[in-house]
Amino acid sequence: MSLIIREAGLYSSIQDLGRQKQQHIGIVKNGSIDQLNHRLANMLVGNEEGEALIEMTIKLPSIQFTEPTLIAFTGANFPAFVDGKKIAPYKIHLLDKGEVLKFGEASKGTRGYLAIAGGIVAEEWLGSKSTSIRLEMGGYHGRTLHAGDEIEMCRNYTPLQKKLFENLEDSKTASWGVDQYTLALNYLTDIFHVISGEGMTHFNEAEIKHLESQVYKVSNRFNRTGLTLEGNSVINRRIVDQSFLSVKKGTVLLNEGNQPVVMLNDHQSLSSYPQIGTIASYHIDKLAQKKQGSKLIFKKLTIQEAERNMRKHAQFVKQIKTGIRYKLNEELNK
């Protein structure tokens, strides 16, 4: 009936795709940071893409299941084990009653996503089960997951999910999955496209070219609010006439030391810090997997250039999803 957190990990929480259209009243979206991997994990186990799951960060939890369960995990390349036996990411697995899922340390990436067939029970707030740590709302009592927490499974299985239980009764693991090498193309490079915003008017062309020539690294100050970067100052002056501007996921600010800070899901709604622009939406999932010491290189794009790239990215994602749907249909018809 439930899953039990045996070891808490570092920063695990229940997230869906976030709260929509609440930012005008100062409530940010929250939700999974790497939304592509969120969607793929859910699709693999036959859930709706936006179903709530467990987002796990850097040091992952160990989880025991109190009844047979279908799972899939995606994201950073954390090695995973069920009662000591290694299992693969981006595949469907049938876990038996009492089995414990554990994770090792990832050589690359930061966040993993664990989806449970049928979804999990969580507190809903403003139309979302996502955990808002700052406001202590949603998810599991509005906080990260601790050792001993017990999360109910919804168990409202579809015909497809019932068939998956049947098909995997002996093998325990599907023979197919998402091609990780193809998916890696979305996360591979350190270049991040920045689209100009209202705040860009404070910077001259020489300063933008200087920004693009630099290599920044993620500092130890990174969390669900944002990433503070280390490297040369973007500018050598102080901007004093900056008005308050809206902030969204991917907004690139300059802090008091003129170092870039990239906002993530739990960002504030407004800021008076200078804004360089916003990371293109198709690079946000890649941003979610950056950890301390990871490199970032900024490249300014026009809106027209970003739109062309967005269409290519959408086609790339569509192909992956089409492949999953095709294989699930095969499972249903076995």
Side-chain angles (χ1 to χ4, degrees), residues 110 189-190 192 218 222 286-291 294-295:
T110 302
T189 72
D190 298 322
F192 287 82
V218 178
F222 77 101
K286 179 170 66 173
L287 186 68
Q289 295 297 346
K290 292 296 183 181
K291 60 183 178 180
S294 296
K295 296 178 182 178

Side-chain angles (χ1 to χ4, degrees), residues 198-218:
E198 185 180 351
M200 186 71 85
T201 57
H202 290 283
F203 303 92
N204 60 46
E205 192 63 30
E207 289 168 337
I208 296 301
K209 287 187 179 298
H210 172 71
L211 169 70
E212 292 180 315
S213 70
Q214 302 302 305
V215 177
Y216 292 95
K217 290 187 177 181
V218 178

Side-chain angles (χ1 to χ4, degrees), residues 33-37 109-111 183-193 218 227 249 264 279-291 294-297 313:
I33 298 179
D34 183 344
Q35 299 213 337
L36 175 56
N37 271 307
T110 302
R111 293 179 170 86
L183 189 62
L185 296 173
N186 192 63
Y187 295 87
L188 199 58
T189 72
D190 298 322
I191 296 173
F192 287 82
H193 294 166
V218 178
L227 307 174
K249 184 177 179 180
L264 292 176
I279 300 291
S281 61
Y282 51 83
H283 278 171
I284 294 291
D285 296 323
K286 179 170 66 173
L287 186 68
Q289 295 297 346
K290 292 296 183 181
K291 60 183 178 180
S294 296
K295 296 178 182 178
L296 277 82
I297 301 168
H313 177 74

Side-chain angles (χ1 to χ4, degrees), residues 3 5 7 13 22 24 28 52 86 137 139 148 165 192 200 203 236 258 265 273:
L3 56 90
I5 307 298
E7 296 178 14
S13 63
Q22 305 292 338
H24 67 288
V28 298
K86 191 170 184 178
M137 299 294 287
F165 272 103
F192 287 82
M200 186 71 85
F203 303 92
N236 295 313
N258 285 328
N265 295 46
Y273 284 105

